[in-house]
Amino acid sequence: MRVNAELLSEALDQVQAAIFEPSLWLPAIEAISKASGALGATIAEPNGRGVFGATLSTENLEVFLEGYVREDWGSRDFRVQKLLPAVRRAGVVLETDLISKEQFERHDYYKFMRKHGIADCVLLDLSSAKDELYLVFQNRLAEAPLPAQDAAHFHAIRARLISALQLAQHVDASKVVGMAAAFETSHIGCIFFDRKGLVTLANAKAEALFTGDLRISRGEVRVSSAIEAAHFNRALKTVLQAQRATTDTVSVVRLSRPGKRPLVVRFERLGAQLTDVFSHSCAMALIEDPDEEIRQNPETLMTLFDLTPAETRISLLVAAGMSAEI
């Protein structure tokens, strides 16, 4: 793996555009990978059980990652114990500095890697207080080990991506706050979730509805009924696992309340799954209270959902319980 400094400078310039247009993140990572001389790159994170998985990867590593999952290397990758403590200290580590020549030649994992044309990797720590994230560049088997002087380029990549991640999530958070305020104006409760299913934001309307047996605590929605809790979590997981936001990714559950009709909760995906790692929130739940008189502001609904005046009137009538059928 040998870094092309000129190409790398151009690739890092693409990161700035990706901050404001999430669809550009994957092309930016691919450009950085190419400039680094790598076969490909992945952004990986632990899933909470000591197993690592890729949240974003360049296209040319798809077959390798499928094999990695199929052969369960995520739970038996011995390198985790050596590489992660080192990268947490240094920010950037070269695998060749920590793994012996004998291990490269004899260990089953490196035999698996060689089948996919991969020799070793460079690991960058992109973690924040909120997320544990690592960027992994895979070195081509046919190339010589990375020159020591190229390590400085990877520190520059790390610094640029960390600041970009923070800014991208801040930009996305601003959008979410605006959406929450718009729903509040329309008397609609809403809760937003990150890619792990934890609550990132709830507007005042949602907090007022989720009281007593229904509540938001420590980043999670608590439901007293085990059956309803299972339905809620399954619907949320389904929406989060969807590749992108479509009409097929909307899920509906009902949550019982003592002495009142159940709340209706509609889950919707936000954006594409490939950009989740750069997003503040990845899904939302809109909460409808059937016992409450509908008081949506027509102008707000028109702006929020890009509706015509006629479409807005029909939406309000349907929300009030009338049928859309003629």
Side-chain angles (χ1 to χ4, degrees), residues 42-73:
T42 61
I43 293 181
E45 66 176 343
N47 68 4
R49 300 188 302 274
V51 179
F52 272 73
T55 61
L56 181 69
S57 69
T58 55
E59 185 177 355
N60 51 0
L61 290 181
E62 287 183 358
V63 175
F64 158 69
L65 291 172
E66 288 171 1
Y68 187 92
V69 172
R70 184 175 60 252
E71 298 184 26
D72 195 30
W73 282 111

Side-chain angles (χ1 to χ4, degrees), residues 5 14 26 48 93 96 195 197 233 243:
Q14 296 184 36
L26 185 55
V93 297
T96 51
R195 67 184 185 280
N233 292 328
Q243 292 298 313

Side-chain angles (χ1 to χ4, degrees), residues 20 32 62 74 78 91 99 108 111 134 143 152-153 161 165 186 195 218 220 233 237 260 262 265 269 275 320:
F20 302 97
I32 293 171
E62 287 183 358
F78 79 102
I99 305 298
D108 286 344
K111 294 178 183 177
Y134 302 92
E143 290 187 353
H153 292 296
L161 287 178
L165 273 167
S186 298
R195 67 184 185 280
R218 297 183 179 181
E220 295 183 1
N233 292 328
K237 183 177 180 180
K260 296 182 179 180
V265 181
R269 189 86 172 69
T275 61

